Amino acid sequence: MGTSGTFGGSKLGLVPSWVDEPASDPAALPYGSGDGTQDDEPDGDGSTAPTPPTPTPYPSMPAIPAGSGLGVARGNMTRGARTSDTSAVRRGAGQYVGASGGGRATARRIPNSRAVAGRVAGLARSFANQGPAEALRRFNLDGMAGAPAEDVFVALTDMLCPAGATIDEAIARDAMLETVADLAAAGVGNFDELSTDDLREFFIGVVSRSIKGKILNEVGTNVVTIPDDVAGVERAQSMLHDFVERCVRDEFEGHGTDLDDLDGNAIDSFVDDLYTAALDLIQTLGEAE
């Protein structure tokens, strides 16, 4: 796309009081810092997790005042869902980030998603540098190193973001499960056979889907039920996903490094900066439509 460079600061603005929902605390994670060092090893038998249930729909958000920034964003999302207008979907996404105060302010509203993405980044780093069994050991899942990759990631999902929690935790869980489904559809084999590229794609998928989930939750509520045909709904969501993923990928590649090259102590800041930069890019490109 040629629009990214390094992770810069966000374009902070004022967050309207009616969208200043308190962020939930990050999900309880099984061990210490983002680099995956084994501080407090969890209990568990490392057994394969059962097939995940269908994600539960998010609770409805409060009504958005007419004429507000989020109201305009919702209007464009509605138009995009009704007419399959890609530009309208992108404008809605960009206007949502702008109304929420810019990339950094929006990223702060999904702390659980950022925490889970940091764990996935730490897993990928350890996998490349120490091997699959060691990468899973910090999650007490080292016995699953040779299991199907989708089973490993489902077990990891259940550990990092269990079902039945806050909206933010539900968004993080759905992002993981949707990415696992995508991984399974691609026919990826056992976990210990994954490549660096596979793990990078999984990480980018989790980040992209958590951002998409936040946008749909806050400005897409009830919009996806408006079109008469299901195909129109699916097209609108697919357009949003493609736009968000492209922004995340562009900023990730613009950083000029891969997950296995990261300093373990810098993973959390890397993830925070990626979310901020990708959301800033969504705002910039979306508002330019």
Side-chain angles (χ1 to χ4, degrees):
M1 292 172 64
T3 53
S4 70
T6 57
F7 295 153
S10 64
K11 301 177 287 298
L12 290 176
L14 294 177
V15 182
S17 60
W18 45 267
V19 298
D20 194 17
E21 168 193 8
S24 57
D25 293 332
L29 295 174
Y31 61 93
S33 60
D35 65 348
T37 53
Q38 195 169 357
D39 296 331
D40 297 307
E41 188 171 302
D43 295 329
D45 58 7
S47 58
T48 303
T51 302
T54 302
T56 302
Y58 308 135
S60 297
M61 300 298 292
I64 296 175
S68 68
L70 288 187
V72 174
R74 175 169 285 182
N76 274 302
M77 282 288 186
T78 302
R79 186 176 302 110
R82 282 174 169 164
T83 65
S84 296
D85 184 343
T86 302
S87 293
V89 170
R90 292 175 177 175
R91 277 198 303 275
Q95 289 161 343
Y96 161 71
V97 177
S100 298
R104 190 164 298 280
T106 307
R108 284 200 299 265
R109 293 166 63 81
I110 43 176
N112 293 90
S113 295
R114 289 186 286 114
V116 169
R119 293 295 164 148
V120 173
L123 175 75
R125 176 184 178 275
S126 293
F127 185 103
N129 295 313
Q130 299 167 328
E134 192 61 35
L136 291 173
R137 190 180 307 281
R138 72 189 76 119
F139 299 102
N140 203 30
L141 295 173
D142 45 303
M144 296 187 70
E150 59 190 283
D151 291 348
V152 174
F153 282 117
V154 167
L156 187 65
T157 299
D158 287 338
M159 181 171 288
L160 295 183
C161 35
T166 65
I167 293 176
D168 182 35
E169 289 167 335
I171 288 172
R173 179 175 174 83
D174 283 358
M176 285 284 288
L177 293 179
E178 288 175 16
T179 308
V180 171
D182 197 43
L183 185 80
V188 176
N190 292 341
F191 181 79
D192 58 357
E193 298 170 342
L194 293 177
S195 66
T196 301
D197 289 346
D198 292 330
L199 290 167
R200 181 196 313 118
E201 289 303 306
F202 191 86
F203 171 75
I204 289 174
V206 169
V207 174
S208 302
R209 287 180 173 91
S210 63
I211 292 174
K212 179 196 73 173
K214 183 64 172 177
I215 295 172
L216 285 175
N217 179 240
E218 295 216 338
V219 299
T221 305
N222 301 325
V223 169
V224 295
T225 64
I226 291 173
D228 295 329
D229 64 301
V230 175
V233 174
E234 293 176 343
R235 282 194 298 270
Q237 293 191 60
S238 178
M239 287 186 289
L240 176 61
H241 171 75
D242 290 346
F243 177 48
V244 171
E245 183 183 54
R246 194 171 66 200
C247 290
V248 171
R249 188 179 303 279
D250 192 52
E251 291 297 340
F252 180 90
E253 293 175 353
H255 189 263
T257 189
D258 215 335
L259 297 175
D260 54 332
D261 297 326
L262 291 175
D263 183 324
N265 295 321
I267 287 178
D268 288 343
S269 61
F270 169 84
V271 171
D272 289 350
D273 287 346
L274 176 60
Y275 270 90
T276 296
L279 285 160
D280 277 338
L281 187 57
I282 289 169
Q283 179 182 358
T284 298
L285 296 182
E287 292 180 343
E289 288 286 346

